[in-house]
Amino acid sequence: MLCLLPLLPKQASTVAPSVDHLLWFVIGISVFFTALIFLLLLVFAIKYRRRAPDEVPQQIHGNIPLELTWTIIPIIIVIVIFVWGVDLFVRERRAPMDAVHVYVVGKQWMWKLQHPEGPREINTLHVPVGVPVELTLTSQDVIHDFAVPAFRIKTDVLPDRYTTEWFTATRTGRFPLYCDQYCGTFHSEMRGDVIVMTLPQYETWLSGEMHHTETMAAAGEKLYESYGCITCHGTGKAPPFVGLYGAKVRLEGGQTVIADDRYIRQSILDPSSQVVLGYKPIMPTFQGQISEDQILQIIAYIQSLANTPGAQGAESAKETK
Amino acid sequence: MGTVTTTTLQQPQAEEYRVHYLNAKYGIKSWLLTTDHKRIAWLYLVSTTFFFVIGGVAAAMMRLNLVSPQGAIVQPETYNKLFTIHGTIMIFFFLAPAVPTVLGNFLIPMMIGARDVAFPRLNLLSWYIFITAGMIFIYSVIAGGVDTGWTFYTPLSTSYVNTHVISAAMAVFISGFSSILTGLNFVVTIHKMRAPGLTWFRLPLFIWSMYAASLIFILAMPVIAITMVLVMLERLFHVGIFDPALGGDPILFQHLFWFFGHPEVYILVLPAMGVISELIAAFSRRRVFGYGFVGFSSFAIAVLSFLVWGHHMFVSGQSVYAGIFFSAMSMAVAIPSAVKVFNWTATLYKGSVSYEAPMLYALGFIGLFTIGGLTGVFLASLGLDVFLHDTYFVIAHFHFIMVGGAVMGYMGGLHYWWPKMTGKLYPDYWARLAACIIFIGFVLTFGPQFILGFEGLPRRYAMYPPNFQFLNIMSSAGASILAVGYIMPLFYLVWSLKYGPEAGPNPWGAKGLEWETASPPPVHNFDKTPVVTEEAYAYGAHPAPVTTAAS
């Protein structure tokens, strides 16, 4: 029966084999020391069993070389595991620059995903094999956690914050996706699948889905107009969006920040917290009026303007108040 | 050593009437208003056993429910309440108090040759605070339960669930004060009440680890108390502390909670480690190998325990650099733990090892704690934690520490000092059988959960995909064996109160001041203040005679 249950899920991402290497190393160390201790306990307990009720054994107080040995050897071993673990962690965290993006919003008790090209999914994520995928995750209520055991990755999904997670799938198929952070009554139902397809299959799927949707950037542009952002950001009363994404922004008070997802999100929800140098704090907050999905669409829209030719103009506009 | 009081009976028939702490006074008031540390230990023994039964029933219902992927007996909402009840009761109302307040209360004054703890009335107050907190939690269970998990993560607990969070948080808040006062009492007692000649390096190692645990009580418990107040403030008055919708930060809660939460783990296991040092010494008639190393490793653990909380947050959005620091500190805790395990094992070498029930628990502890400690290294490693965090691997790991470690230590200690507490012997055959059943049941329950974790099953799932069913059934089957093992002592220990043979002052032939006075001890523990002239566990110098009632 046990043969039906492999110890680990099939490796399906580029980091999975690295995780398993370290895992097997630590399993090996653990089995060795557990066996050693059990064996010593067993041998000593049998060999030195009490043979007479009034037996008084020879007293040994301790042994400094022995103490040093079993202090230093474990120190060396945990240093190896520590350094190896840090190295692995950095690889697990650092997404390749050319990763494609998918945006994830967790809510009690489902995953809402959106591809920049437009298609939205619930509890299912379609991705191409062999292509790095970076997820930007946030929650619209409590803390969730996006875990895919076959990829050996997970990250908490927090309200009011963006976290990221990346993988490059190495195997096509359907892999379970779980919420790993207890999130309320139907926590155990907050699961789904990652469906890894070959690149042509994926492109077919994507274009099929795209027929009845618009890109995130296009949706964001509509919001830009419908929420009235355009009245200031399009007229010079507020900083323009062209070339903004990823640029350095000087704030009132002299601080400099990078205009990333987090900055844009905070500027929408709490505009007075970071006023761009030279502009008046006239923007109202959109807290409670705009959903997490819509914020992500506006971010996608601003991002789509990052590389347009007018970028330098916007940059200098910001620099010279 | 100083005084040797024996109640050797020349003729078993002509039993002389001896006044001791159990028969000095009768009546319910003599118990509920007692300031005798030995009687207070009994108050705690009865109340923590009551909570253990409730927490255990909740666990049994969870395991029963998990037999089926769809949930065999209850809906997810009820399941979530069950694991919250199980976790909160076991952590705050059984494990944290068990060894310190039952064995610690009974033994600290006895082991250091004192008449009582430093503040006997404060000691009684601690129990009343504890029982008040416990009853408030029981109220929240009866009123409908609470389903936040024992970790009370925000904003789930403050803004989302509709269950009895306030009363549960209030219970945890109040219980903290009981632990703070107990810790304070023990620290003062150990500093000021030691018998003449009982220097720090002559103390039994149980005292060292109780001292270390008491320091953690005093430093960590205020943090959880404050955190619970903040949770209540946010839930009741919408003060924005943790919920981002109110302007708070949910990660702040996790920092505060685990700043308490991880030292708490060592509150549970350090006293049990102290028990194991006593048991290993007594049943191999050897001074604990590397006494100083074992003693100081307790303090190393206590200090490091305050620097590892961030390992609960490697995937919570904490910075990578914080993660690296907490990973390094968590790895460091493995060292003093390993030092203890090696020294205990070395104590058996060329000893005179016997296998009465307490020793079986001690050997079980060393084995299971070794596994629990090593699997902690997996989770302390950043790269592996990303894979294993919040899966059943974590559940298995900390149950090896808390049940395989702390509970095994508590059971071993209870069996070891039972003759001292009651003056009666329990049937050793049944006790050994129960110890073996508990060991086997435990491994069968939690062993499969390591594999469930590798497979990726998340914790706190009321329902799960069907491919995990086989291992879940194995785990539930193991739990039923474990339950039998835990129920058995309830019967034979209670039986021994009435029918057990007289124990005599020192049935194990053990060293230590507590074995030099009568069983049960006189009201003031010692007829004459003992004077200590030798180190702890001096089995070679003057072998302690086995003084049972019959000898």
Side-chain angles (χ1 to χ4, degrees):
Chain A
M1 188 84 189
L2 268 174
C3 56
L4 296 176
L5 294 154
L7 188 61
L8 294 164
K10 267 189 192 147
Q11 300 170 343
S13 76
T14 48
V15 296
S18 317
V19 174
D20 291 0
H21 282 158
L22 177 54
L23 192 63
W24 282 113
F25 176 74
V26 186
I27 290 174
I29 297 274
S30 302
V31 168
F32 172 78
F33 278 102
T34 305
L36 179 73
I37 293 294
F38 273 79
L39 194 71
L40 287 176
L41 287 177
L42 199 68
V43 168
F44 290 169
I46 292 169
K47 192 165 174 199
Y48 304 113
R49 67 187 177 277
R50 189 168 299 166
R51 287 155 207 274
D54 54 352
E55 186 178 61
V56 177
Q58 175 200 349
Q59 296 297 305
I60 308 167
H61 268 64
N63 183 315
I64 298 292
L66 210 50
E67 298 283 351
L68 290 178
T69 309
W70 63 48
T71 306
I72 291 168
I73 290 176
I75 287 177
I76 294 169
I77 291 170
V78 296
I79 287 177
V80 170
I81 296 172
F82 165 72
V83 172
W84 193 341
V86 170
D87 178 64
L88 179 59
F89 185 64
V90 171
R91 266 185 288 158
E92 286 164 342
R93 301 293 314 145
R94 189 182 289 155
M97 295 303 283
D98 57 342
V100 301
H101 283 79
V102 179
Y103 296 89
V104 183
V105 176
K107 61 166 284 194
Q108 287 178 325
W109 289 273
M110 62 160 80
W111 297 108
K112 298 190 289 184
L113 304 103
Q114 187 168 16
H115 298 259
E117 295 84 356
R120 291 160 165 275
E121 308 187 61
I122 301 271
N123 291 346
T124 310
L125 171 62
H126 287 79
V127 290
V129 71
V131 175
V133 178
E134 183 170 14
L135 309 175
T136 298
L137 312 106
T138 190
S139 163
Q140 65 184 57
D141 40 46
V142 300
I143 302 174
H144 304 279
D145 184 290
F146 193 95
V148 186
F151 297 164
R152 310 286 190 269
I153 54 161
K154 72 168 56 79
T155 298
D156 276 10
V157 180
L158 296 132
D160 198 38
R161 195 182 284 228
Y162 290 125
T163 52
T164 59
E165 178 170 358
W166 79 276
F167 58 85
T168 303
T170 53
R171 188 189 283 273
T172 56
R174 184 180 276 266
F175 303 101
L177 148 70
Y178 303 112
C179 174
D180 263 23
Q181 178 64 55
Y182 175 64
C183 59
T185 309
F186 295 105
H187 167 55
S188 62
E189 293 300 280
M190 192 167 164
R191 47 186 207 233
D193 292 293
V194 178
I195 296 166
V196 182
M197 312 164 102
T198 61
L199 199 53
Q201 279 175 334
Y202 176 73
E203 275 162 358
T204 313
W205 172 85
L206 197 62
S207 56
E209 294 287 311
M210 276 164 66
H211 277 306
H212 39 83
T213 183
E214 54 193 349
T215 66
M216 280 181 76
E221 187 171 10
K222 279 189 183 156
L223 293 169
Y224 170 71
E225 288 158 13
S226 65
Y227 275 100
C229 317
I230 190 168
T231 49
C232 296
H233 289 280
T235 58
K237 275 161 83 181
F241 290 163
V242 175
L244 173 65
Y245 192 86
K248 277 187 192 155
V249 179
R250 301 244 322 262
L251 303 180
E252 285 286 353
Q255 239 185 317
T256 306
V257 294
I258 305 272
D260 55 5
D261 298 352
R262 186 188 344 181
Y263 166 80
I264 297 169
R265 183 178 183 282
Q266 201 189 333
S267 296
I268 296 169
L269 297 178
D270 188 10
S272 59
S273 69
Q274 30 190 12
V275 177
V276 177
L277 191 67
Y279 290 96
K280 292 199 187 88
I282 50 171
M283 179 169 161
T285 173
F286 286 83
Q287 184 92 50
Q289 301 172 38
I290 187 165
S291 72
E292 293 293 344
D293 312 40
Q294 291 175 324
I295 295 174
L296 286 168
Q297 287 165 350
I298 291 175
I299 290 172
Y301 168 60
I302 296 174
Q303 196 175 2
S304 72
L305 300 174
N307 303 320
T308 44
Q312 267 137 352
E315 180 74 14
S316 56
K318 281 190 305 277
E319 294 294 329
T320 65
K321 49 172 153 179
Chain B
M1 276 205 212
T3 56
V4 177
T5 13
T6 51
T7 49
T8 308
L9 297 179
Q10 302 302 329
Q11 299 140 314
Q13 261 71 27
E15 192 174 315
E16 66 179 285
Y17 184 74
R18 190 175 65 80
V19 176
H20 52 73
Y21 82 102
L22 290 171
N23 66 9
K25 280 181 187 167
Y26 288 100
I28 189 83
K29 262 171 83 177
S30 76
W31 284 93
L32 292 180
L33 296 177
T34 183
T35 54
D36 182 348
H37 67 101
K38 300 182 288 301
R39 285 191 164 210
I40 293 172
W42 276 98
L43 295 179
Y44 275 114
L45 177 60
V46 172
S47 40
T48 52
T49 304
F50 167 73
F51 289 119
F52 179 70
V53 169
I54 295 179
V57 168
M61 289 174 71
M62 284 158 67
R63 282 304 345 156
L64 194 56
N65 198 52
L66 290 170
V67 166
S68 158
Q70 295 308 314
I73 55 169
V74 294
Q75 294 299 309
E77 196 182 349
T78 309
Y79 179 85
N80 298 343
K81 287 176 182 170
L82 286 174
F83 71 65
T84 306
I85 292 167
H86 171 70
T88 314
I89 286 203
M90 288 304 199
I91 295 281
F92 293 104
F93 299 104
F94 173 68
L95 283 166
V99 178
T101 62
V102 179
L103 299 177
N105 250 323
F106 194 90
L107 290 164
I108 289 174
M110 307 271 309
M111 282 183 165
I112 64 172
R115 286 168 57 151
D116 207 317
V117 293
F119 308 111
R121 275 180 287 191
L122 196 64
N123 201 13
L124 183 64
L125 178 65
S126 297
W127 182 74
Y128 275 101
I129 295 173
F130 170 75
I131 209 74
T132 306
M135 287 306 127
I136 293 175
F137 191 78
I138 298 292
Y139 158 78
S140 79
V141 172
I142 293 169
V146 55
D147 64 346
T148 59
W150 80 278
T151 46
F152 293 96
Y153 265 28
T154 56
L156 181 71
S157 65
T158 53
S159 302
Y160 287 88
V161 300
N162 295 317
T163 49
H164 294 77
V165 178
I166 296 294
S167 50
M170 183 62 87
V172 172
F173 170 73
I174 293 174
S175 81
F177 289 95
S178 168
S179 300
I180 294 167
L181 295 180
T182 301
L184 195 70
N185 217 337
F186 287 172
V187 167
V188 177
T189 305
I190 295 167
H191 268 282
K192 305 303 288 183
M193 309 277 286
R194 282 171 287 131
L198 189 54
T199 60
W200 286 93
F201 286 94
R202 286 177 179 170
L203 285 173
L205 287 163
F206 179 73
I207 300 292
W208 280 69
S209 43
M210 279 309 308
Y211 186 91
S214 299
L215 290 181
I216 306 180
F217 268 141
I218 296 169
L219 293 172
M221 285 300 178
V223 180
I224 187 67
I226 291 163
T227 310
M228 287 299 126
V229 171
L230 296 178
V231 165
M232 288 187 273
L233 279 178
E234 182 165 288
R235 194 172 165 86
L236 286 174
F237 305 112
H238 306 289
V239 181
I241 301 159
F242 303 126
D243 184 355
L246 302 169
D249 182 356
I251 297 285
L252 174 65
F253 174 84
Q254 296 181 21
H255 278 293
L256 290 172
F257 184 84
W258 291 115
F259 184 80
F260 142 82
H262 209 81
E264 167 80 4
V265 173
Y266 295 98
I267 288 176
L268 312 181
V269 81
L270 272 172
M273 288 170 156
V275 170
I276 298 308
S277 294
E278 299 300 313
L279 300 186
I280 291 288
F283 292 95
S284 40
R285 292 200 178 146
R286 282 277 306 277
R287 187 177 198 258
V288 173
F289 193 89
Y291 169 96
F293 286 90
V294 177
F296 276 113
S297 62
S298 294
F299 286 91
I301 289 174
V303 171
L304 286 170
S305 75
F306 283 98
L307 301 171
V308 299
W309 80 86
H311 70 216
H312 295 269
M313 300 159 63
F314 287 159
V315 299
S316 299
Q318 177 181 254
S319 92
V320 173
Y321 300 102
I324 290 171
F325 170 79
F326 287 120
S327 172
M329 289 295 116
S330 308
M331 292 284 180
V333 182
I335 306 302
S337 309
V339 165
K340 278 182 187 283
V341 167
F342 284 122
N343 277 297
W344 288 325
T345 308
T347 307
L348 299 183
Y349 176 70
K350 292 195 175 170
S352 168
V353 184
S354 66
Y355 318 113
E356 284 88 351
M359 184 59 162
L360 296 188
Y361 282 109
L363 294 174
F365 174 102
I366 299 174
L368 299 179
F369 177 77
T370 302
I371 297 173
L374 284 164
T375 49
V377 173
F378 288 70
L379 298 166
S381 164
L382 279 166
L384 294 183
D385 186 67
V386 170
F387 173 40
L388 298 170
H389 195 88
D390 275 333
T391 66
Y392 262 80
F393 187 88
V394 177
I395 306 275
H397 154 68
F398 74 71
H399 279 88
F400 266 75
I401 299 286
M402 292 184 186
V403 184
V407 179
M408 292 291 259
Y410 176 61
M411 294 294 283
L414 202 57
H415 283 80
Y416 179 55
W417 284 293
W418 186 260
K420 180 55 63 183
M421 294 173 78
T422 62
K424 304 286 186 176
L425 291 173
Y426 52 82
D428 195 53
Y429 169 80
W430 286 100
R432 281 194 275 186
L433 186 64
C436 293
I437 290 174
I438 288 174
F439 184 86
I440 292 165
F442 175 83
V443 172
L444 285 176
T445 308
F446 294 102
Q449 296 186 7
F450 283 124
I451 305 171
L452 283 171
F454 284 143
E455 285 286 315
L457 179 61
R459 60 188 294 198
R460 295 172 167 179
Y461 262 29
M463 299 186 256
Y464 55 85
N467 56 318
F468 296 116
Q469 188 176 16
F470 174 70
L471 287 168
N472 265 305
I473 288 176
M474 266 180 73
S475 180
S476 296
S480 64
I481 298 173
L482 189 57
V484 171
Y486 281 138
I487 291 167
M488 283 171 65
L490 281 179
F491 285 98
Y492 64 73
L493 288 180
V494 171
W495 177 89
S496 78
L497 288 176
K498 193 161 169 62
Y499 304 104
E502 292 295 322
N506 192 358
W508 314 113
K511 283 281 187 175
L513 288 180
E514 78 270 28
W515 299 111
E516 294 187 16
T517 189
S519 307
V523 176
H524 293 302
N525 298 346
F526 301 93
D527 294 333
K528 222 172 74 186
T529 303
V531 177
V532 180
T533 55
E534 59 185 17
E535 61 184 22
Y537 321 115
Y539 283 93
H542 314 279
V546 177
T547 45
T548 60
S551 65

